[in-house]
Amino acid sequence: MTTCPVARRACPAGSSRRTQSFFSNIIRFLLPPRRDRNDNIITIIDNFKFLIILLPVLSLSQIHAQTNPVDNLKKNSLEAQQRLLTEQNLRKDQQQFRNAQNYINLNQYRIAIPLLEDLVKRNPDNFTYYDWLLRCYVITAELSQADSLVNLLRQKNPGNPMYEVDQASIMYRREQQENALDKWNQILQSYPQDINVYQRVASALIDNRLLDEAIKVYQQAITRIPNSESFYLSIAELYRSRLMYAEAAQYYLKYLQKVPGQQSFVFNQILAFQIEPEQRPKFFQTLEKFMLQDPQPGLIKLLTAQLYQRYGEFEKAFQLYQEMDDPKSEGSQVLQFAQAAERDSSYQVALQAYRYIIRKYPNSKQLIPAYSGAISTLLQSAIENSHQPSAQLALQMIDTVNQRFPQHPETNWLNYLKGVFYLDYYFDVDQSIEIFTAISDNKKVVQKLRDETLLKLAECYLIRGQLDKALQNFGKIVQPPYNGEALLGTARSYYFLKQWEQCRHTIQTILQTQGVSSLVTNDALALQILLGYSQDSPEIIEKFSEGELLIIQRKKSEALKKFKDIIEMKNVPAAIKAEVYLRLSRLSLELQEPLTALDFCNQAIQDPIILPYADEHLYLLAGILERSVSRPQEAFAVYKQLLEMYPNSLLADAARERMKIIREQPNFEIP
């Protein structure tokens, strides 16, 4: 029986055979060319037909193989939401932890504890949250809570030795000291190479005030673990906290031997020690022993020299600097030492150091700075100690530098010092004018030094009373930083000339150009207030300006008489009268008449007109009693009176400080 072709096409078996035939053709396409039944080669075009059929089929198979795009979008959105939620929770935890820390800083531990408990509950693997919560429990003596917390974390982390260390710490707090110490030792024996365990045990010992035991733990770690030199610093800090500076210095220096690059840090730490005089011998002996043991003692010697210098033992420091002096440096360290000694008013040692450089390095670049330092040291010593030989030697050195280095820029500065010295020490105005004029006329002088010289030259003309020449020199200064002082000098010159309008105009220029925070502005405002009385009390202001000019001219007796005349005048404004009494008291002190100064102060504080301004007179009176006539009990009483009458005075803090100093004097009894 013949099968119906239609039925055969619908038959599944027929469909399967067609599928097999299709894939067979694909395989044949991939094979080398073959021949048909007639032995003809099948061309590539025939194979290409199969390729055209194949590509759509493969594309369809890939589309069906892909995941549904909607499912992908849902999956990505869910992951993004989870990441966002995680980040939000992290920020929330961090903020909560900061709040807890703020409460801890305010010693409000019981408020911080619930915040930390919540953090630990939600973040059991966060050691920081756990550590802070444990500390709060221990500080508030909630040892049961602390024990529960540690046990909980021990169970979750059975192999973590940190929780074992904390368990021993709680045992120690519960007065099980021996058991706690044994447990700490066992932990260290079990983890001999774990640096974190040593740190945790040492911290626990420090928290329990077992400082010597903590030092031993650090020492064991240094012995057993390579690259643990940071523990030298930990030991040094422990000794430093106990004011054991010799031991602290020893371990700082051991750390420096291991880490030479930390010289600046180590030196700063040791130089910051506040060593009492009775501790210093032992301290310096420790440094000297360490110096002898060090194969390269240069750093220790430098540190020792700086420490001697810090504690005012400049002669010992200078000796070490000479030992360390390297000819290649041409005395640079010695020069720095000399400058530091000069700043500390140790003029004798500073001069020795400057002379050492001048003698040993006559051709070095340090020579001119050494000459300059030696000259300024001699001039300061001459002024402060009224030592005539120092003055003469300084002037001789200036002449020597001018002869040897006539073109050197530093000679202008030295000549300026010479002019200042003639003015302030010898009060030789003519010689000073000659020197200052030569400097100001020298076109090679830098602008800053020229302006500084012009200020001094104008001052000389004020002393001479040649106010027009003073104005001329002030007018030549137009650039910062001295133009403000020049404007103030101009205003004062007009004030001395009694040219009130020009004075006011110059003051306005100062206020417009110098800014409100300038010291020049403050002085200009004070002068402006004084000029405010020129219309109602012109005679008084004229005499006041004459008295101030006499002070500048060093005519102290004449100035004293001028201010006395003002006191005897009628209708003197209270503010002017208060200033006059201050001038009278200070002039009397400069004239070596402290009792007269006391009288003027007493007159001032008894005058009801100037009562609102009398706080400064009380302070001056107390200072005279304390330092000039050696009556500390009376001085103490006056300082106390100032605080009672003028509690908001700008001098109140200074008065309290003076009272404290007087109270600490031996044999002083509070009146």
Side-chain angles (χ1 to χ4, degrees):
M1 179 176 174
T2 305
T3 306
C4 175
V6 174
R8 191 166 56 245
R9 280 199 299 270
C11 177
S15 174
S16 174
R17 281 194 297 272
R18 282 196 301 273
T19 302
Q20 291 174 1
S21 175
F22 175 74
F23 283 108
S24 297
N25 286 329
I26 292 175
I27 293 169
R28 279 199 296 271
F29 171 75
L30 298 174
L31 293 173
R34 60 185 179 83
R35 297 179 180 272
D36 60 8
R37 292 177 182 177
N38 298 319
D39 202 25
N40 295 322
I41 296 175
I42 299 175
T43 64
I44 191 168
I45 294 179
D46 295 320
N47 288 334
F48 187 67
K49 294 177 184 178
F50 290 102
L51 179 63
I52 294 172
I53 298 170
L54 173 65
L55 289 176
V57 173
L58 293 176
S59 300
L60 287 172
S61 65
Q62 289 176 1
I63 292 172
H64 287 290
Q66 290 177 355
T67 306
N68 192 323
V70 176
D71 294 338
N72 278 341
L73 183 61
K74 289 181 179 180
K75 180 180 179 182
N76 293 337
S77 176
L78 181 60
E79 291 176 353
Q81 290 177 7
Q82 290 174 344
R83 283 197 303 271
L84 180 61
L85 183 61
T86 302
E87 292 174 359
Q88 289 176 345
N89 289 336
L90 179 62
R91 286 196 295 270
K92 178 183 175 183
D93 289 349
Q94 290 173 344
Q95 182 60 50
Q96 185 169 328
F97 181 60
R98 284 194 292 271
N99 292 339
Q101 285 182 310
N102 290 334
Y103 285 122
I104 291 170
N105 292 336
L106 296 171
N107 296 328
Q108 297 181 1
Y109 302 105
R110 297 191 184 280
I111 300 178
I113 284 174
L115 299 175
L116 293 170
E117 287 175 336
D118 179 58
L119 287 171
V120 171
K121 183 178 180 181
R122 289 187 287 105
N123 304 272
D125 295 329
N126 190 309
F127 192 82
T128 301
Y129 297 159
Y130 154 80
D131 195 36
W132 280 86
L133 178 57
L134 180 62
R135 288 175 181 273
C136 289
Y137 281 149
V138 171
I139 290 171
T140 56
E142 296 184 17
L143 298 182
S144 297
Q145 294 288 87
D147 196 23
S148 300
L149 175 66
V150 173
N151 284 327
L152 177 65
L153 271 296
R154 284 174 67 201
Q155 293 172 6
K156 290 184 177 181
N157 304 273
N160 193 327
M162 302 301 176
Y163 304 111
E164 301 298 327
V165 175
D166 295 341
Q167 185 67 40
S169 187
I170 295 171
M171 293 168 60
Y172 191 89
R173 296 274 178 163
R174 285 178 163 170
E175 298 185 358
Q176 301 174 22
Q177 285 88 349
E178 293 299 326
N179 293 335
L181 291 170
D182 290 341
K183 188 174 182 65
W184 280 321
N185 286 327
Q186 290 172 6
I187 294 169
L188 292 176
Q189 291 173 6
S190 301
Y191 299 90
Q193 296 295 313
D194 192 330
I195 194 169
N196 294 320
V197 171
Y198 283 94
Q199 182 61 67
R200 190 71 177 178
V201 171
S203 298
L205 291 166
I206 293 169
D207 290 340
N208 290 287
R209 306 306 300 163
L210 299 171
L211 304 186
D212 290 330
E213 287 77 3
I215 289 172
K216 292 177 182 178
V217 169
Y218 285 133
Q219 290 171 336
Q220 288 178 20
I222 292 169
T223 304
R224 297 174 180 175
I225 303 176
N227 303 319
S228 58
E229 55 272 353
S230 62
F231 285 152
Y232 282 122
L233 290 180
S234 301
I235 297 173
E237 288 300 320
L238 284 175
Y239 279 125
R240 183 178 186 173
S241 67
R242 301 161 72 181
L243 306 183
M244 299 171 68
Y245 294 117
E247 292 81 359
Q250 182 179 355
Y251 279 93
Y252 274 126
L253 293 174
K254 286 184 177 181
Y255 173 73
L256 181 60
Q257 286 180 331
K258 296 291 185 179
V259 191
Q262 292 295 314
Q263 176 189 337
S264 178
F265 167 76
V266 170
F267 276 30
N268 287 336
Q269 297 301 310
I270 297 177
L271 288 169
F273 289 173
Q274 300 293 329
I275 307 175
E276 296 298 327
E278 59 273 12
Q279 290 182 296
R280 290 174 194 169
K282 179 184 176 183
F283 177 77
F284 283 110
Q285 286 174 6
T286 301
L287 290 181
E288 289 170 2
K289 288 180 181 178
F290 208 90
M291 198 186 308
L292 294 173
Q293 297 169 0
D294 195 334
Q296 296 179 335
L299 287 179
I300 313 302
K301 190 174 288 188
L302 176 61
L303 174 63
T304 306
Q306 291 179 355
L307 285 163
Y308 276 132
Q309 186 175 324
R310 184 190 185 288
Y311 292 111
E313 299 188 35
F314 287 98
E315 293 181 358
K316 293 181 179 179
F318 181 40
Q319 182 178 352
L320 288 175
Y321 277 117
Q322 289 181 84
E323 294 175 7
M324 292 185 293
D325 185 28
D326 182 1
K328 294 180 181 179
S329 70
E330 298 183 335
S332 59
Q333 281 188 338
V334 179
L335 179 64
Q336 293 174 6
F337 162 75
Q339 292 167 341
E342 181 185 354
R343 287 192 298 269
D344 201 66
S345 301
S346 299
Y347 298 129
Q348 184 177 358
V349 180
L351 185 60
Q352 289 176 7
Y354 285 131
R355 283 179 160 174
Y356 172 86
I357 298 169
I358 293 169
R359 183 179 66 255
K360 189 171 181 179
Y361 302 104
N363 299 312
S364 76
K365 62 182 179 181
Q366 317 293 350
L367 182 63
I368 294 296
Y371 266 120
S372 181
I375 290 166
S376 62
T377 298
L378 286 166
L379 294 179
Q380 291 179 76
S381 177
I383 292 172
E384 293 184 15
N385 303 315
S386 298
H387 192 245
Q388 185 69 20
S390 295
Q392 293 173 349
L393 183 57
L395 297 176
Q396 290 172 8
M397 277 192 172
I398 293 174
D399 293 337
T400 300
V401 174
N402 282 324
Q403 291 171 7
R404 290 188 60 187
F405 312 99
Q407 303 301 321
H408 198 285
E410 189 73 10
T411 57
N412 294 314
W413 167 250
L414 295 178
N415 286 326
Y416 172 80
L417 287 181
K418 184 178 181 180
V420 172
F421 188 71
Y422 270 113
L423 181 63
D424 294 339
Y425 188 77
Y426 291 118
F427 197 55
D428 190 338
V429 181
D430 294 337
Q431 184 68 35
S432 296
I433 288 176
E434 182 180 339
I435 294 170
F436 292 140
T437 301
I439 297 172
S440 63
D441 291 342
N442 186 347
K443 294 182 180 180
K444 294 182 179 180
V445 173
V446 295
Q447 187 65 43
K448 184 177 179 182
L449 179 57
R450 177 180 286 106
D451 289 347
E452 202 168 350
T453 302
L454 287 170
L455 284 176
K456 280 296 181 182
L457 188 57
E459 181 185 342
C460 290
Y461 283 121
L462 284 177
I463 292 171
R464 271 190 174 182
Q466 295 175 286
L467 302 181
D468 54 339
K469 289 190 176 182
L471 283 169
Q472 289 175 11
N473 284 283
F474 282 133
K476 294 177 182 178
I477 305 169
V478 295
Q479 295 181 3
Y482 296 112
N483 60 328
E485 291 184 47
L487 283 170
L488 183 61
T490 301
R492 284 176 171 164
S493 298
Y494 285 130
Y495 167 67
F496 296 140
L497 287 168
K498 305 180 181 64
Q499 296 178 10
W500 314 129
E501 288 306 316
Q502 290 91 329
C503 183
R504 289 192 182 93
H505 177 74
T506 308
I507 290 172
Q508 288 303 315
T509 303
I510 293 172
L511 299 179
Q512 291 169 5
T513 60
Q514 298 302 306
V516 295
S517 61
S518 169
L519 293 176
V520 169
T521 302
N522 292 336
D523 291 341
L525 288 170
L527 184 57
Q528 187 178 51
I529 293 170
L530 195 59
L531 289 178
Y533 298 100
S534 61
Q535 293 181 349
D536 297 332
S537 309
E539 293 181 3
I540 295 171
I541 295 301
E542 287 178 6
K543 280 192 174 294
F544 195 91
S545 91
E546 292 169 4
E548 289 203 290
L549 181 57
L550 288 169
I551 291 175
I552 290 175
Q553 295 173 339
R554 316 297 206 267
K555 299 176 180 179
K556 298 175 184 177
S557 297
E558 294 180 37
L560 189 71
K561 184 178 182 303
K562 188 71 68 174
F563 286 120
K564 281 183 180 179
D565 292 341
I566 297 175
I567 291 295
E568 295 172 359
M569 295 175 73
K570 295 180 180 179
N571 301 321
V572 180
I576 300 295
K577 200 171 188 180
E579 286 296 323
V580 169
Y581 273 121
L582 289 173
R583 299 289 196 284
L584 288 169
S585 300
R586 289 168 180 156
L587 283 168
S588 299
L589 285 174
E590 292 178 14
L591 292 168
Q592 306 298 319
E593 297 178 3
L595 296 179
T596 305
L598 283 176
D599 290 339
F600 284 126
C601 286
N602 282 317
Q603 290 177 38
I605 62 178
Q606 292 170 11
D607 191 333
I609 296 176
I610 66 170
L611 191 62
Y613 309 96
D615 58 331
E616 196 167 353
H617 302 81
L618 281 169
Y619 188 80
L620 181 57
L621 173 62
I624 296 170
L625 289 168
E626 179 187 355
R627 291 185 284 270
S628 298
V629 296
S630 301
R631 286 147 62 176
Q633 288 188 327
E634 293 180 46
F636 188 92
V638 175
Y639 285 129
K640 184 179 179 182
Q641 182 183 356
L642 187 156
L643 295 176
E644 292 172 349
M645 293 179 63
Y646 305 95
N648 298 319
S649 169
L650 295 176
L651 297 168
D653 289 340
R656 292 188 187 93
E657 185 63 27
R658 296 310 309 173
M659 290 175 72
K660 179 182 177 182
I661 293 172
I662 294 173
R663 193 184 295 114
E664 291 173 353
Q665 292 179 1
N667 303 322
F668 173 75
E669 295 180 3
I670 298 177

